[in-house]
Amino acid sequence: MNFLKLYLVVVCTAALIISCSQNEISTKEGTQVSATLKFQHSLGLGDLLELTDTKSQKQSLTLDKFKYLISEVQFTTNDNENITLSNNDAAQLIDLDFADESNTVTVHLTDVPVGDYKSVSFGIGVSQEVANGSTEEQTKLMDLAEQDMQWAWNPNAYVFSKIEASNLNTESTVPTDLQVHIGNKGSFVGYRTVTMVFPETLSLDSKVSPSLHITVAIEKIFAPENPSKSVAFDAIGAHGGSSDVTSNFADNFASIFQVHHIHPTEKAIYLEDVAEGLNANEDSSSHTHSHE
């Protein structure tokens, strides 16, 4: 009789263990994040930006706005196969207004096939091919554009990037502020492609969600490594244009990104868990705010 009791206890314990294991597995079902891109910017909103004007004078400005659309995200395998993600999944608006304390904006990408990759690329803005193509394939881009990334005179056209800063020069009665909004205007095409080669192979599989730490050197838009491409902050019209200076600005913007390092073996995460975490943070902030 005692043997029968012991047998039942063992069977029940095993059943509980199996049940727990099944529950753990079920909570991890969902849309796996293939890779996480962490855009860490050199400056945050309110930070000081030292720039040179057209008179070669140094000016101090505070950064008020910095945001840009990315689209046509593409991974390249070690065998040179290009994997392009749908804009309705991967297009993003990177906005410093929503960055964390380290000026980082995090993007979670899905549906990148299992494999070994050597680089990633994306567009700053929206290519003419996409803009003139199917509206269904631009659903997410159009939603993102409604977040202050449309031209007032043409809401059907995209603004690719915006940077604004307030001049702190108190000696001038009318200090020149920085306000540059880039898109397509006339013969000028503001779309640029960013390509970043990984410092090591990025291996994607069902067990991991690697993260890529990408540095974004905002100052290099105006003072790039190539001095001939330098841009005086007050030399560009508020809405860009077709000048060489505007072209340099767009070129420089595409050169400020670099993959600093990769965390290749981070445990797999799921979009559903990310969404729950964001909702929890919002609820916590709202709860805290209500007691102020």
Side-chain angles (χ1 to χ4, degrees), residues 75-76 117-120 196-202 212 259 262:
F75 284 80
T76 300
Y117 295 87
K118 65 180 182 180
S119 67
V120 65
M196 297 180 294
V197 177
F198 302 144
E200 60 183 285
T201 294
L202 178 71
L212 287 69
V259 176
I262 296 175

Side-chain angles (χ1 to χ4, degrees), residues 60-61 64 164-169 174-180 233-234 236:
S60 297
L61 302 93
D64 300 322
E164 299 177 8
S166 300
N167 199 323
L168 300 179
N169 182 4
V174 186
T176 302
D177 292 334
L178 170 64
Q179 181 177 313
V180 181
F233 80 90
D234 57 344
I236 312 172

Side-chain angles (χ1 to χ4, degrees), residues 39 68-76 82 84 119-130 160 182 184 189-197 247 249-258:
F39 293 84
Y68 48 97
L69 282 171
I70 66 171
S71 65
E72 298 184 64
V73 179
Q74 182 180 90
F75 284 80
T76 300
N82 294 323
T84 303
S119 67
V120 65
S121 65
F122 54 83
I124 300 294
V126 181
S127 69
Q128 289 181 313
E129 180 181 359
V130 170
F160 298 168
I182 293 293
N184 291 337
V189 178
Y191 181 77
R192 296 291 188 275
T193 299
V194 176
T195 299
M196 297 180 294
V197 177
S247 182
F249 178 94
D251 291 344
N252 293 347
F253 203 112
S255 69
I256 65 176
F257 303 90
Q258 181 180 9

Side-chain angles (χ1 to χ4, degrees), residues 270-286:
Y270 298 82
L271 280 184
E272 292 75 11
D273 295 331
V274 173
E276 287 180 9
L278 291 175
N279 291 334
N281 289 336
E282 289 177 359
D283 291 341
S284 175
S285 298
S286 174

Side-chain angles (χ1 to χ4, degrees), residues 41-107:
H41 301 79
S42 58
L43 297 168
L45 298 185
D47 285 349
L48 197 64
L49 189 59
E50 297 284 350
L51 299 177
T52 303
D53 63 18
T54 50
K55 298 179 181 178
S56 299
Q57 297 175 327
K58 294 288 186 180
Q59 301 281 349
S60 297
L61 302 93
T62 52
L63 189 62
D64 300 322
K65 182 179 292 186
F66 190 75
K67 57 199 303 185
Y68 48 97
L69 282 171
I70 66 171
S71 65
E72 298 184 64
V73 179
Q74 182 180 90
F75 284 80
T76 300
T77 69
N78 285 354
D79 296 326
N80 294 318
E81 179 185 0
N82 294 323
I83 308 296
T84 303
L85 307 185
S86 165
N87 281 323
N88 283 335
D89 293 325
Q92 301 288 338
L93 175 60
I94 310 297
D95 188 346
L96 268 183
D97 199 31
F98 299 102
D100 64 16
E101 293 180 354
S102 66
N103 305 324
T104 300
V105 176
T106 300
V107 173

